Amino acid sequence: MNTPPSILSAIPRRLHLQKDHPIAITRQIIESRFPDFTTHNTLFPIVSVHQNFDSLGFPLDHPGRSRTDTYYLNKDTVLRTHTSAHQAETFAANQSSGYLISADVYRRDAIDRSHYPVFHQMEGAMTWDRTALSGYSTLAEKILADVEKIPRHGIKVEDLNPTIHPERNPLQSEFHSPEEVEAMATHLKRSLEDVVVAIFTTAAQASGSTAPQQPLKVRWVEAYFPFTSPSWELEVYWQDTWLEVLGCGIVQQPILNNAGVPHRIGWAFGLGLERIAMLLYNIPDIRLFWSTDARFLSQFKESSPPKQFIPFSKYPACFKDVSFWLPASSHPNPTNASGGLSQTPSSTPSFHENDVMEIAREVCGDLVEDVRLVDEFVHPKTGRKSLCYRTNYRSLERTLTNEETNGLHERFRQQLVAKLKVELR
């Protein structure tokens, strides 16, 4: 069990279902582009290790399984780290050709303006039945006919790489023909380009600018995901930079086979709703999504024309440092798949940066904006290692007093000693 009370208390919030919340509005915009898909928005976040990892083919030594990265309730049960934890059971239910899942997901992570231990994902999938060709001579022909039903757009799309590459983006040749994959890739890309047009048209409207808008540009980039092959990321040129919006690909056939639907093949995608909502409404800090301040929530109405978020007054930041020696037997390794708070109390914990972040969140809540490593030092004689972390305390709703931040920081320092067995400098 490594799930703190603050994380457990977030489970009932379900921001993606909260009326007039920007996460929920973003979800609805995307869902509107898939009118024939079945939607699943109320799946409970506590899942088995099998659902979260095994059913998707995660190797036993994958770092995502570590308690430094994942919230465990016991050795067999976790808070889902992705919506794909429900993929196998949704494929097995076989309720419709297409589905969308939106849900809260949980990961131990950094503290900054774009990362939060609870966030929201949406994934979608579309599959076709090999045994139901509806009069077409091949499945590829049927899929291409379905492409013609997708709304056309006029945006500039850059797609320079071949659909299939034997090393970078291989075909699942045991299960799929090149023609089938070309057809599915065309359907997938056209579907998601349509989503991007809807999102960024809304974002342009929300900006309220009367200046001429630059033509929307998107590009497809080869990628790797364990659940799909071939795979791609979709990037959008927005405010003078390329932004990754989502990942997608052709579903690994063993996932469908193991779900009891070996006669179906298809594609899947996944995206972060916070990432899209921050772009859509120009929201600068991910903590704002969890605010209960009426000044934030009253700016969003599902029935109103979209408009960008108007920030509150910028409250001052307060930076405080903490330096400490690591225990002699501890070796900092941010990719270490063991250790940290997952060790037994009697052992010397091995160090993982996510433990520092977790302690900061538990002590300071959303009053901490950012925690980052600013210095490290190895003593030339003893070989002991010292780290210095800088914490930025800033409320989104009021000015913090010196007394308040000093008290928070001192409790943070003492919890580092108590839980990580470090020696303060």
Side-chain angles (χ1 to χ4, degrees), residues 50 52-60 62 65 226-227 255 258:
H50 175 81
N52 203 71
F53 298 119
D54 300 336
S55 69
L56 297 164
F58 278 75
L60 293 176
H62 192 281
R65 292 179 179 263
F227 326 131
I255 295 176
N258 293 337

Side-chain angles (χ1 to χ4, degrees), residues 101-130:
I101 296 173
S102 298
D104 44 334
V105 299
Y106 301 76
R107 294 182 194 171
R108 301 180 85 231
D109 209 339
I111 295 178
D112 58 41
R113 291 187 181 187
S114 61
H115 290 86
Y116 204 80
V118 190
F119 57 104
H120 297 78
Q121 282 187 339
M122 174 185 281
E123 80 167 52
M126 174 74 184
T127 62
W128 289 267
D129 188 341
R130 289 188 180 280

Side-chain angles (χ1 to χ4, degrees), residues 10-239:
I11 291 176
R13 293 287 301 274
R14 302 200 296 178
L15 303 184
H16 63 295
L17 299 178
Q18 185 175 320
K19 182 175 173 57
D20 295 334
H21 195 283
I23 295 293
I25 297 170
T26 302
R27 170 185 62 79
Q28 291 168 338
I29 292 172
I30 300 171
E31 286 177 348
S32 72
R33 310 315 301 170
F34 298 97
D36 298 328
F37 280 36
T38 300
T39 57
H40 304 276
N41 296 328
T42 59
L43 297 171
F44 199 59
I46 296 175
V47 299
S48 67
V49 169
H50 175 81
Q51 287 173 290
N52 203 71
F53 298 119
D54 300 336
S55 69
L56 297 164
F58 278 75
L60 293 176
D61 61 351
H62 192 281
R65 292 179 179 263
S66 167
R67 280 181 279 187
T68 58
D69 286 25
T70 295
Y71 289 110
Y72 279 79
L73 300 180
N74 55 51
K75 67 182 180 65
D76 299 316
T77 312
V78 299
L79 292 176
R80 63 183 163 221
T81 62
H82 45 211
T83 51
S84 298
H86 305 285
Q87 188 180 90
E89 63 200 51
T90 306
F91 281 139
N94 199 19
Q95 292 180 327
S96 62
S97 297
Y99 72 78
L100 296 171
I101 296 173
S102 298
D104 44 334
V105 299
Y106 301 76
R107 294 182 194 171
R108 301 180 85 231
D109 209 339
I111 295 178
D112 58 41
R113 291 187 181 187
S114 61
H115 290 86
Y116 204 80
V118 190
F119 57 104
H120 297 78
Q121 282 187 339
M122 174 185 281
E123 80 167 52
M126 174 74 184
T127 62
W128 289 267
D129 188 341
R130 289 188 180 280
T131 66
L133 298 183
S134 303
Y136 294 96
S137 58
T138 66
L139 184 56
E141 187 179 310
K142 182 182 188 310
I143 296 170
L144 290 174
D146 288 342
V147 171
E148 296 304 312
K149 302 173 187 175
I150 302 170
R152 294 186 177 275
H153 61 73
I155 64 174
K156 182 179 179 181
V157 179
E158 181 181 302
D159 193 1
L160 302 180
N161 295 305
T163 301
I164 300 165
H165 189 280
E167 287 84 31
R168 300 194 308 264
N169 234 354
L171 170 74
Q172 300 175 56
S173 56
E174 182 181 351
F175 305 108
H176 306 149
S177 72
E179 294 77 16
E180 290 169 342
V181 169
E182 289 285 354
M184 286 190 290
T186 301
H187 192 282
L188 166 62
K189 292 178 178 180
R190 283 280 300 278
S191 298
L192 296 180
E193 289 161 11
D194 178 65
V195 168
V196 164
V197 169
I199 290 169
F200 286 88
T201 298
T202 305
Q205 295 170 351
S207 69
S209 174
T210 58
Q213 297 291 329
Q214 288 186 339
L216 185 62
K217 294 188 294 184
V218 303
R219 68 183 181 188
W220 290 100
V221 179
E222 292 176 332
Y224 167 79
F225 302 110
F227 326 131
T228 55
S229 185
S231 305
W232 304 275
E233 290 173 347
L234 180 58
E235 297 181 346
V236 175
Y237 195 72
W238 181 252
Q239 298 181 347

